Amino acid sequence: MPTDAPQPSFVLIRPQMGENIGAAARAMWNFGLDRMRIVAPRDGWPNPAADAMASGAGRLLDEAEVSEDVASGIADRTYVYATTARPRELTKPVFSPEAAMKDAAARIARGEKVAVMFGPERSGMENADIAHANAIITVPVNPEFPSLNLAQCVLLVGYEWRRAAGEIEDVVVQGQTTQIADQRDTEALARHYEERLEEAGFFYPEHKAENMKVNLRNLWSRMPMTRADVQMLHGVLRQLLRGKS
């Protein structure tokens, strides 16, 4: 069964090869998308070649909605984007993939039903297809080589959807010890070093001592430390001073 997550439908318009349909399904499922629609597949449906390429995403193919034409494939959608690499003479809003999926996320949150159309591999969608769409998505590719494989385009838009849906963090800290040090930990470390360095005569000359202490504390607060980092730095200082007193 499809997931309950609100999401756009991805509509493949007249796809030519079963392998590309399967690869598109795999790309969709990589990013948690499972609403596939297929319009007039050239080699008919179902297609064994698609199953072979889906690699674990075969459920999307089993549940795909198949239509004979574009109008019926998007009939229940309230807003439709058409992906194309070529400039079109049709007057429509033109989005980057990132902006389009942010717009789609906002529309879906308001209860709208959104679809993204992807054209056939050889030449993309015709103007007659794009005329059904409310807006265009254009990928900023190399103008000397603008052609994208169907699955590549699906993957790119799927990634931007997942970003727009808030399911990707731009930066995370990973590892076995990721608990971030709090201000109490940092303050204890700062005092430990300050006291030991004071005993060692580090803060010299005296008229510069206060500023040196402020700079040292600023160093600790500027460092993004985990609690494990703090414990290690305490241990480093203890080991250095062992036997020195």
Side-chain angles (χ1 to χ4, degrees), residues 2-89:
T3 61
D4 293 330
Q7 59 182 262
S9 297
F10 277 23
V11 187
L12 312 186
I13 308 298
R14 298 186 300 279
Q16 296 169 335
M17 298 177 61
E19 291 87 349
N20 286 335
I21 300 172
R26 180 177 180 178
M28 288 177 62
W29 193 228
N30 281 150
F31 296 105
L33 292 157
D34 61 358
R35 311 292 200 280
M36 174 178 276
R37 298 185 178 193
I38 305 171
V39 173
R42 184 190 66 180
D43 297 333
W45 196 257
N47 188 320
D51 291 320
M53 281 295 294
S55 186
R59 176 178 66 80
L60 276 67
L61 303 177
D62 296 337
E63 298 169 356
E65 299 179 26
V66 182
S67 305
E68 294 183 358
D69 54 49
V70 173
S72 57
I74 60 173
D76 63 340
R77 303 292 91 181
T78 59
Y79 201 86
V80 178
Y81 306 86
T83 58
T84 177
R86 294 186 287 115
R88 306 286 181 155
E89 59 269 24

Coordinates of all heavy atoms in Angstrom, one line a residue, residues 2-89:
P2 N 0.4 2.3 -0.6 CA 1.2 3.6 -0.6 C 1.4 4.1 0.8 O 0.6 3.8 1.7 CB 0.3 4.5 -1.4 CG -0.5 3.7 -2.3 CD -0.8 2.5 -1.4
T3 N 2.5 4.8 1.0 CA 2.7 5.4 2.3 C 1.6 6.5 2.6 O 1.0 7.0 1.6 CB 4.1 6.1 2.4 OG1 4.2 7.1 1.4 CG2 5.1 5.0 2.2
D4 N 1.5 6.9 3.8 CA 0.5 8.0 4.2 C 1.1 9.4 4.0 O 0.4 10.4 4.1 CB 0.0 7.8 5.6 CG -0.8 6.5 5.8 OD1 -1.4 6.1 4.8 OD2 -0.8 5.9 6.9
A5 N 2.4 9.5 3.8 CA 3.0 10.8 3.7 C 2.5 11.6 2.6 O 2.5 11.2 1.4 CB 4.6 10.6 3.5
P6 N 2.1 12.9 2.8 CA 1.6 13.7 1.7 C 2.8 14.0 0.8 O 3.9 14.2 1.2 CB 1.2 15.0 2.5 CG 1.0 14.6 3.9 CD 2.0 13.5 4.1
Q7 N 2.5 13.9 -0.5 CA 3.6 14.0 -1.5 C 3.0 14.2 -2.9 O 1.8 13.9 -3.1 CB 4.4 12.7 -1.5 CG 3.6 11.5 -1.8 CD 4.5 10.2 -1.8 OE1 4.9 9.7 -2.8 NE2 4.7 9.7 -0.6
P8 N 3.8 14.7 -3.8 CA 3.3 14.8 -5.2 C 3.3 13.5 -5.9 O 4.0 12.6 -5.5 CB 4.4 15.8 -5.8 CG 5.6 15.5 -5.0 CD 5.2 15.2 -3.6
S9 N 2.5 13.4 -6.9 CA 2.5 12.3 -7.8 C 3.6 12.5 -8.9 O 3.7 13.7 -9.4 CB 1.2 12.0 -8.5 OG 0.2 11.7 -7.5
F10 N 4.4 11.5 -9.3 CA 5.3 11.7 -10.4 C 4.7 11.0 -11.6 O 4.4 9.8 -11.5 CB 6.7 11.1 -10.0 CG 7.5 12.0 -9.2 CD1 7.0 13.1 -8.5 CD2 8.9 11.8 -9.2 CE1 7.8 13.9 -7.8 CE2 9.7 12.7 -8.5 CZ 9.2 13.7 -7.8
V11 N 4.5 11.7 -12.7 CA 3.8 11.2 -13.9 C 4.8 11.1 -15.0 O 5.4 12.1 -15.5 CB 2.7 12.1 -14.3 CG1 1.9 11.5 -15.4 CG2 1.8 12.5 -13.0
L12 N 5.0 9.8 -15.5 CA 5.9 9.6 -16.6 C 5.1 9.6 -17.9 O 4.2 8.8 -18.1 CB 6.6 8.2 -16.4 CG 7.3 7.9 -15.1 CD1 8.0 6.6 -15.1 CD2 8.2 9.1 -14.6
I13 N 5.4 10.5 -18.8 CA 4.7 10.7 -20.0 C 5.3 9.9 -21.1 O 6.5 10.2 -21.5 CB 4.6 12.2 -20.4 CG1 4.1 13.1 -19.2 CG2 3.8 12.4 -21.6 CD1 2.7 12.7 -18.8
R14 N 4.6 9.0 -21.7 CA 5.0 8.1 -22.8 C 6.5 7.6 -22.6 O 7.3 7.7 -23.5 CB 4.9 8.9 -24.1 CG 3.5 9.3 -24.4 CD 3.4 9.9 -25.8 NE 4.2 11.1 -26.0 CZ 3.8 12.3 -25.5 NH1 2.6 12.4 -24.9 NH2 4.6 13.3 -25.7
P15 N 6.8 7.0 -21.5 CA 8.2 6.5 -21.3 C 8.4 5.4 -22.3 O 7.5 4.6 -22.7 CB 8.1 5.9 -19.9 CG 6.7 5.6 -19.6 CD 5.9 6.7 -20.3
Q16 N 9.7 5.3 -22.8 CA 10.0 4.5 -24.0 C 10.6 3.1 -23.6 O 10.5 2.2 -24.4 CB 10.9 5.2 -24.9 CG 10.3 6.5 -25.5 CD 11.3 7.3 -26.2 OE1 12.5 7.3 -25.9 NE2 10.8 8.1 -27.2
M17 N 11.2 3.0 -22.5 CA 11.9 1.8 -22.1 C 11.5 1.4 -20.7 O 11.5 2.2 -19.8 CB 13.4 2.0 -22.2 CG 14.0 2.3 -23.6 SD 15.8 2.6 -23.6 CE 16.4 1.0 -23.0
G18 N 11.2 0.1 -20.6 CA 10.9 -0.4 -19.2 C 12.0 -0.2 -18.2 O 11.7 0.0 -17.1
E19 N 13.3 -0.4 -18.7 CA 14.4 -0.2 -17.8 C 14.4 1.2 -17.2 O 14.7 1.4 -16.0 CB 15.7 -0.4 -18.5 CG 16.0 -1.8 -19.0 CD 15.3 -2.1 -20.3 OE1 14.5 -1.3 -20.8 OE2 15.7 -3.2 -20.8
N20 N 14.0 2.2 -17.9 CA 14.0 3.6 -17.4 C 12.8 3.8 -16.4 O 13.0 4.6 -15.5 CB 13.9 4.6 -18.6 CG 15.2 4.7 -19.3 OD1 16.3 4.5 -18.7 ND2 15.2 5.1 -20.5
I21 N 11.7 3.1 -16.7 CA 10.6 3.2 -15.7 C 11.0 2.6 -14.4 O 10.7 3.1 -13.3 CB 9.4 2.5 -16.3 CG1 8.9 3.2 -17.6 CG2 8.2 2.5 -15.3 CD1 7.8 2.4 -18.3
G22 N 11.7 1.4 -14.5 CA 12.1 0.8 -13.2 C 13.2 1.6 -12.5 O 13.1 1.7 -11.3
A23 N 14.1 2.2 -13.2 CA 15.1 3.1 -12.6 C 14.4 4.3 -12.0 O 14.8 4.8 -10.9 CB 16.1 3.5 -13.6
A24 N 13.4 4.8 -12.6 CA 12.7 6.0 -12.1 C 12.0 5.6 -10.8 O 11.9 6.4 -9.8 CB 11.6 6.5 -13.1
A25 N 11.4 4.4 -10.7 CA 10.7 3.9 -9.5 C 11.8 3.8 -8.4 O 11.5 4.2 -7.2 CB 10.1 2.6 -9.8
R26 N 12.9 3.3 -8.7 CA 14.0 3.2 -7.7 C 14.4 4.5 -7.2 O 14.6 4.7 -6.0 CB 15.2 2.4 -8.3 CG 16.3 2.3 -7.4 CD 17.5 1.5 -8.0 NE 18.6 1.3 -7.1 CZ 19.7 0.6 -7.4 NH1 19.8 0.0 -8.6 NH2 20.7 0.5 -6.6
A27 N 14.5 5.5 -8.1 CA 14.9 6.9 -7.7 C 13.8 7.5 -6.8 O 14.1 8.2 -5.8 CB 15.1 7.7 -9.0
M28 N 12.6 7.3 -7.2 CA 11.5 7.8 -6.3 C 11.5 7.2 -4.9 O 11.5 8.0 -3.9 CB 10.1 7.5 -7.0 CG 9.8 8.2 -8.2 SD 8.2 7.7 -8.9 CE 7.0 8.1 -7.6
W29 N 11.7 5.9 -4.8 CA 11.6 5.3 -3.5 C 12.9 5.6 -2.7 O 12.8 5.6 -1.5 CB 11.5 3.8 -3.7 CG 11.1 3.1 -2.4 CD1 11.7 1.9 -1.9 CD2 10.1 3.4 -1.5 NE1 11.1 1.5 -0.8 CE2 10.1 2.4 -0.5 CE3 9.1 4.4 -1.4 CZ2 9.2 2.5 0.6 CZ3 8.3 4.5 -0.3 CH2 8.3 3.5 0.7
N30 N 14.0 6.0 -3.3 CA 15.2 6.5 -2.6 C 14.8 7.6 -1.7 O 15.4 7.8 -0.6 CB 16.3 6.9 -3.6 CG 17.1 5.8 -4.2 OD1 17.6 5.9 -5.3 ND2 17.2 4.7 -3.4
F31 N 13.8 8.4 -2.1 CA 13.4 9.6 -1.4 C 12.0 9.6 -0.8 O 11.4 10.6 -0.5 CB 13.6 10.9 -2.3 CG 15.1 11.1 -2.6 CD1 15.5 10.8 -3.9 CD2 16.0 11.5 -1.7 CE1 16.9 11.0 -4.2 CE2 17.3 11.7 -2.0 CZ 17.8 11.4 -3.3
G32 N 11.5 8.3 -0.7 CA 10.3 8.1 0.0 C 9.0 8.5 -0.8 O 7.9 8.6 -0.2
L33 N 9.2 8.6 -2.1 CA 8.0 8.9 -3.0 C 7.5 7.6 -3.6 O 8.3 6.8 -4.1 CB 8.5 9.8 -4.1 CG 8.9 11.2 -3.7 CD1 9.8 11.9 -4.7 CD2 7.6 12.1 -3.5
D34 N 6.2 7.4 -3.6 CA 5.7 6.2 -4.1 C 4.4 6.3 -4.9 O 3.6 5.4 -5.1 CB 5.4 5.1 -3.0 CG 4.5 5.6 -1.9 OD1 3.9 6.7 -2.0 OD2 4.2 4.8 -1.0
R35 N 4.1 7.6 -5.4 CA 2.9 7.8 -6.2 C 3.3 7.9 -7.6 O 3.5 9.0 -8.2 CB 2.2 9.1 -5.7 CG 2.0 9.3 -4.3 CD 0.9 8.3 -3.7 NE 0.4 8.7 -2.5 CZ 1.0 8.6 -1.3 NH1 2.1 8.0 -1.2 NH2 0.4 9.1 -0.2
M36 N 3.5 6.8 -8.3 CA 3.9 6.8 -9.7 C 2.7 6.7 -10.6 O 1.8 5.9 -10.3 CB 4.9 5.6 -10.0 CG 5.2 5.5 -11.4 SD 6.4 4.2 -11.8 CE 8.0 5.0 -11.5
R37 N 2.7 7.5 -11.7 CA 1.7 7.4 -12.7 C 2.4 7.2 -14.0 O 3.5 7.9 -14.3 CB 0.8 8.6 -12.7 CG 0.0 8.7 -11.4 CD -1.0 9.9 -11.4 NE -1.8 10.0 -10.2 CZ -2.8 10.7 -10.0 NH1 -3.3 11.4 -11.1 NH2 -3.5 10.7 -8.9
I38 N 1.9 6.4 -14.9 CA 2.5 6.2 -16.2 C 1.4 6.5 -17.3 O 0.3 5.9 -17.3 CB 3.0 4.8 -16.4 CG1 3.9 4.4 -15.2 CG2 3.7 4.5 -17.7 CD1 4.3 3.0 -15.1
V39 N 1.8 7.3 -18.3 CA 0.9 7.7 -19.3 C 1.4 7.1 -20.6 O 2.5 7.4 -21.1 CB 0.8 9.2 -19.5 CG1 0.0 9.6 -20.7 CG2 0.2 9.8 -18.3
A40 N 0.6 6.2 -21.3 CA 0.9 5.7 -22.6 C 2.3 5.1 -22.7 O 3.1 5.6 -23.6 CB 0.6 6.7 -23.7
P41 N 2.7 4.1 -21.9 CA 4.1 3.6 -22.1 C 4.2 2.9 -23.4 O 3.4 2.2 -23.9 CB 4.2 2.6 -20.9 CG 2.7 2.2 -20.6 CD 1.9 3.5 -20.9
R42 N 5.3 3.2 -24.1 CA 5.5 2.8 -25.5 C 5.4 1.3 -25.6 O 4.8 0.7 -26.6 CB 6.9 3.2 -26.0 CG 7.2 2.9 -27.4 CD 8.6 3.1 -27.8 NE 9.5 2.2 -27.1 CZ 10.8 2.2 -27.2 NH1 11.4 3.1 -28.0 NH2 11.6 1.4 -26.5
D43 N 6.0 0.5 -24.7 CA 6.1 -0.9 -24.8 C 5.0 -1.6 -24.0 O 5.1 -2.8 -23.7 CB 7.5 -1.4 -24.3 CG 8.6 -0.9 -25.2 OD1 8.3 -0.6 -26.4 OD2 9.7 -0.8 -24.7
G44 N 3.9 -0.9 -23.6 CA 2.8 -1.5 -22.9 C 3.1 -1.7 -21.4 O 4.2 -1.3 -21.0
W45 N 2.1 -2.2 -20.7 CA 2.3 -2.4 -19.3 C 1.4 -3.5 -18.8 O 0.3 -3.7 -19.3 CB 1.8 -1.1 -18.5 CG 2.3 -1.1 -17.1 CD1 1.5 -1.3 -16.0 CD2 3.6 -0.8 -16.7 NE1 2.3 -1.2 -14.9 CE2 3.6 -0.9 -15.3 CE3 4.8 -0.5 -17.3 CZ2 4.7 -0.7 -14.5 CZ3 5.9 -0.2 -16.6 CH2 5.9 -0.3 -15.2
P46 N 2.0 -4.4 -17.9 CA 3.3 -4.3 -17.2 C 4.4 -4.6 -18.1 O 4.3 -5.2 -19.2 CB 3.1 -5.3 -16.1 CG 2.1 -6.3 -16.5 CD 1.2 -5.5 -17.4
N47 N 5.6 -4.3 -17.6 CA 6.9 -4.5 -18.4 C 7.9 -5.2 -17.6 O 8.4 -4.6 -16.6 CB 7.4 -3.1 -18.9 CG 8.5 -3.2 -19.9 OD1 9.4 -4.1 -19.7 ND2 8.5 -2.4 -20.9
P48 N 8.3 -6.4 -17.9 CA 9.3 -7.2 -17.1 C 10.6 -6.4 -16.9 O 11.3 -6.5 -15.9 CB 9.4 -8.5 -17.9 CG 8.2 -8.6 -18.6 CD 7.8 -7.2 -19.0
A49 N 11.0 -5.7 -18.0 CA 12.3 -4.9 -17.9 C 12.2 -3.9 -16.8 O 13.3 -3.6 -16.2 CB 12.6 -4.3 -19.2
A50 N 11.1 -3.3 -16.5 CA 10.9 -2.3 -15.4 C 11.1 -3.0 -14.1 O 11.8 -2.5 -13.2 CB 9.6 -1.7 -15.5
D51 N 10.6 -4.2 -13.9 CA 10.7 -4.9 -12.6 C 12.2 -5.2 -12.3 O 12.6 -5.1 -11.2 CB 9.9 -6.2 -12.7 CG 8.4 -6.0 -12.7 OD1 8.0 -5.1 -12.0 OD2 7.7 -6.7 -13.4
A52 N 12.9 -5.6 -13.4 CA 14.3 -5.9 -13.2 C 15.2 -4.8 -12.7 O 16.1 -4.9 -12.0 CB 14.9 -6.5 -14.5
M53 N 14.8 -3.6 -13.2 CA 15.6 -2.4 -12.8 C 15.1 -1.7 -11.5 O 15.8 -0.9 -11.0 CB 15.5 -1.4 -14.0 CG 16.4 -1.7 -15.1 SD 18.2 -1.6 -14.7 CE 18.4 0.2 -14.4
A54 N 13.9 -2.1 -11.1 CA 13.4 -1.3 -9.9 C 14.2 -1.6 -8.6 O 14.2 -0.8 -7.7 CB 11.9 -1.7 -9.7
S55 N 14.8 -2.8 -8.5 CA 15.8 -3.1 -7.4 C 15.2 -2.7 -6.1 O 15.7 -1.9 -5.3 CB 17.1 -2.3 -7.6 OG 18.0 -2.7 -6.7
G56 N 14.1 -3.4 -5.7 CA 13.5 -3.2 -4.4 C 12.4 -2.2 -4.3 O 11.7 -2.1 -3.3
A57 N 12.1 -1.6 -5.4 CA 11.1 -0.6 -5.5 C 9.9 -1.1 -6.4 O 9.1 -0.3 -6.9 CB 11.6 0.8 -6.0
G58 N 9.8 -2.4 -6.5 CA 8.8 -3.0 -7.4 C 7.4 -2.7 -7.0 O 6.5 -2.7 -7.9
R59 N 7.2 -2.4 -5.7 CA 5.8 -2.1 -5.3 C 5.3 -0.9 -6.0 O 4.1 -0.8 -6.3 CB 5.9 -1.8 -3.8 CG 4.5 -1.4 -3.2 CD 4.6 -1.2 -1.7 NE 5.4 -0.1 -1.3 CZ 5.1 1.2 -1.4 NH1 3.9 1.5 -1.8 NH2 5.9 2.1 -1.0
L60 N 6.2 0.1 -6.3 CA 5.7 1.3 -7.0 C 5.2 0.9 -8.4 O 4.2 1.5 -8.8 CB 6.9 2.3 -7.1 CG 7.1 3.2 -5.9 CD1 7.6 2.5 -4.7 CD2 8.1 4.3 -6.3
L61 N 5.8 0.0 -9.0 CA 5.4 -0.4 -10.3 C 4.0 -1.2 -10.3 O 3.2 -1.0 -11.1 CB 6.4 -1.3 -11.0 CG 7.8 -0.7 -11.1 CD1 8.8 -1.8 -11.7 CD2 7.8 0.5 -12.0
D62 N 3.9 -2.0 -9.2 CA 2.7 -2.8 -9.0 C 1.5 -1.8 -8.8 O 0.4 -2.1 -9.2 CB 2.8 -3.7 -7.9 CG 3.8 -4.8 -8.1 OD1 4.1 -5.1 -9.3 OD2 4.3 -5.4 -7.2
E63 N 1.7 -0.7 -8.1 CA 0.7 0.2 -7.7 C 0.6 1.4 -8.6 O -0.3 2.3 -8.4 CB 0.9 0.7 -6.3 CG 0.9 -0.5 -5.2 CD 1.4 0.0 -3.9 OE1 1.9 1.1 -3.7 OE2 1.4 -0.9 -3.0
A64 N 1.4 1.4 -9.7 CA 1.4 2.6 -10.6 C 0.0 2.7 -11.3 O -0.6 1.7 -11.7 CB 2.5 2.5 -11.6
E65 N -0.4 3.9 -11.4 CA -1.7 4.2 -12.1 C -1.3 4.5 -13.6 O -0.5 5.3 -13.9 CB -2.4 5.4 -11.6 CG -2.8 5.3 -10.1 CD -3.5 6.5 -9.6 OE1 -4.0 7.3 -10.4 OE2 -3.4 6.7 -8.4
V66 N -1.9 3.7 -14.5 CA -1.6 3.8 -15.9 C -2.8 4.5 -16.7 O -3.9 4.1 -16.5 CB -1.3 2.4 -16.5 CG1 -1.0 2.5 -18.0 CG2 -0.2 1.7 -15.7
S67 N -2.5 5.5 -17.5 CA -3.5 6.2 -18.2 C -3.1 6.2 -19.7 O -2.0 6.0 -20.1 CB -3.6 7.7 -17.7 OG -3.8 7.7 -16.3
E68 N -4.1 6.5 -20.5 CA -3.9 6.5 -22.0 C -3.4 7.9 -22.5 O -2.8 8.0 -23.5 CB -5.2 6.1 -22.7 CG -5.6 4.7 -22.5 CD -6.9 4.3 -23.2 OE1 -7.4 5.2 -23.9 OE2 -7.3 3.2 -23.2
D69 N -3.7 9.0 -21.8 CA -3.3 10.3 -22.2 C -3.0 11.2 -21.0 O -3.3 10.9 -19.9 CB -4.4 10.9 -23.1 CG -5.7 10.9 -22.5 OD1 -5.8 11.4 -21.3 OD2 -6.7 10.5 -23.2
V70 N -2.4 12.3 -21.3 CA -2.0 13.2 -20.3 C -3.2 13.7 -19.5 O -3.1 13.8 -18.3 CB -1.2 14.4 -20.9 CG1 -0.9 15.4 -19.8 CG2 0.1 13.9 -21.5
A71 N -4.2 14.1 -20.2 CA -5.4 14.7 -19.5 C -5.9 13.8 -18.4 O -6.2 14.2 -17.3 CB -6.4 15.1 -20.5
S72 N -6.1 12.5 -18.8 CA -6.6 11.6 -17.8 C -5.6 11.2 -16.7 O -5.9 10.9 -15.6 CB -7.1 10.3 -18.5 OG -6.0 9.7 -19.2
G73 N -4.3 11.3 -17.0 CA -3.3 11.0 -16.1 C -3.1 12.0 -14.9 O -2.7 11.7 -13.9
I74 N -3.6 13.2 -15.2 CA -3.5 14.3 -14.2 C -4.9 14.9 -13.8 O -4.9 16.0 -13.2 CB -2.5 15.4 -14.6 CG1 -3.0 16.1 -15.9 CG2 -1.1 14.9 -14.8 CD1 -2.2 17.3 -16.4
A75 N -5.9 14.2 -14.2 CA -7.3 14.8 -14.1 C -7.6 15.2 -12.7 O -8.4 16.2 -12.5 CB -8.3 13.8 -14.7
D76 N -7.2 14.5 -11.7 CA -7.5 14.8 -10.3 C -6.6 15.7 -9.6 O -6.7 15.9 -8.4 CB -7.7 13.5 -9.5 CG -6.4 12.7 -9.4 OD1 -5.5 12.9 -10.2 OD2 -6.3 11.8 -8.5
R77 N -5.5 16.2 -10.3 CA -4.5 17.1 -9.7 C -5.0 18.5 -9.7 O -5.7 18.9 -10.7 CB -3.2 16.9 -10.3 CG -2.6 15.5 -10.4 CD -2.2 15.0 -9.0 NE -3.3 14.3 -8.3 CZ -3.2 13.8 -7.1 NH1 -2.1 14.0 -6.4 NH2 -4.2 13.1 -6.6
T78 N -4.6 19.3 -8.7 CA -5.0 20.7 -8.8 C -3.8 21.6 -9.2 O -4.1 22.8 -9.6 CB -5.4 21.2 -7.3 OG1 -4.3 21.0 -6.4 CG2 -6.6 20.4 -6.9
Y79 N -2.6 21.1 -9.2 CA -1.5 21.9 -9.7 C -0.4 20.9 -10.3 O -0.1 19.9 -9.6 CB -0.8 22.7 -8.6 CG 0.0 23.9 -9.1 CD1 -0.6 25.1 -9.4 CD2 1.3 23.8 -9.3 CE1 0.1 26.2 -9.9 CE2 2.1 24.9 -9.8 CZ 1.4 26.1 -10.1 OH 2.2 27.2 -10.6
V80 N 0.1 21.3 -11.4 CA 1.0 20.3 -12.2 C 2.2 21.1 -12.7 O 2.1 22.2 -13.2 CB 0.2 19.7 -13.4 CG1 1.2 18.8 -14.1 CG2 -1.0 18.9 -12.9
Y81 N 3.3 20.5 -12.4 CA 4.6 21.0 -13.0 C 5.1 20.1 -14.1 O 4.9 18.8 -14.0 CB 5.7 21.0 -11.9 CG 5.4 21.7 -10.6 CD1 4.7 21.0 -9.6 CD2 5.7 23.0 -10.4 CE1 4.4 21.7 -8.4 CE2 5.4 23.7 -9.2 CZ 4.8 23.0 -8.2 OH 4.4 23.6 -7.1
A82 N 5.7 20.7 -15.1 CA 6.2 19.9 -16.3 C 7.7 20.1 -16.3 O 8.2 21.3 -16.3 CB 5.6 20.3 -17.6
T83 N 8.5 19.1 -16.3 CA 10.0 19.2 -16.3 C 10.4 19.3 -17.8 O 10.0 18.4 -18.6 CB 10.6 18.0 -15.6 OG1 10.2 16.8 -16.2 CG2 10.3 18.0 -14.1
T84 N 11.3 20.2 -18.1 CA 11.8 20.3 -19.4 C 13.1 21.1 -19.4 O 13.3 22.0 -18.6 CB 10.9 21.0 -20.4 OG1 11.5 21.2 -21.7 CG2 10.5 22.4 -19.8
A85 N 14.1 20.6 -20.2 CA 15.4 21.3 -20.3 C 15.4 22.4 -21.4 O 16.3 23.2 -21.4 CB 16.5 20.3 -20.5
R86 N 14.4 22.3 -22.3 CA 14.4 23.2 -23.4 C 13.5 24.4 -23.2 O 12.5 24.3 -22.6 CB 14.0 22.5 -24.7 CG 14.9 21.4 -25.2 CD 14.4 20.8 -26.5 NE 13.2 20.0 -26.4 CZ 12.0 20.3 -26.9 NH1 11.9 21.4 -27.6 NH2 11.0 19.5 -26.8
P87 N 14.0 25.6 -23.6 CA 13.1 26.8 -23.5 C 11.8 26.6 -24.3 O 11.8 25.9 -25.4 CB 13.9 27.9 -24.1 CG 15.3 27.4 -24.1 CD 15.3 25.9 -24.2
R88 N 10.7 27.0 -23.8 CA 9.4 26.9 -24.4 C 8.8 28.2 -24.7 O 9.0 29.2 -23.9 CB 8.5 26.0 -23.6 CG 9.0 24.7 -23.2 CD 9.1 23.7 -24.3 NE 9.6 22.4 -23.9 CZ 9.3 21.2 -24.5 NH1 8.5 21.2 -25.5 NH2 9.9 20.1 -24.0
E89 N 8.0 28.3 -25.7 CA 7.4 29.6 -26.0 C 6.1 29.8 -25.2 O 5.4 30.8 -25.3 CB 7.1 29.7 -27.5 CG 6.2 28.7 -28.1 CD 6.9 27.5 -28.7 OE1 8.1 27.2 -28.2 OE2 6.4 26.8 -29.5

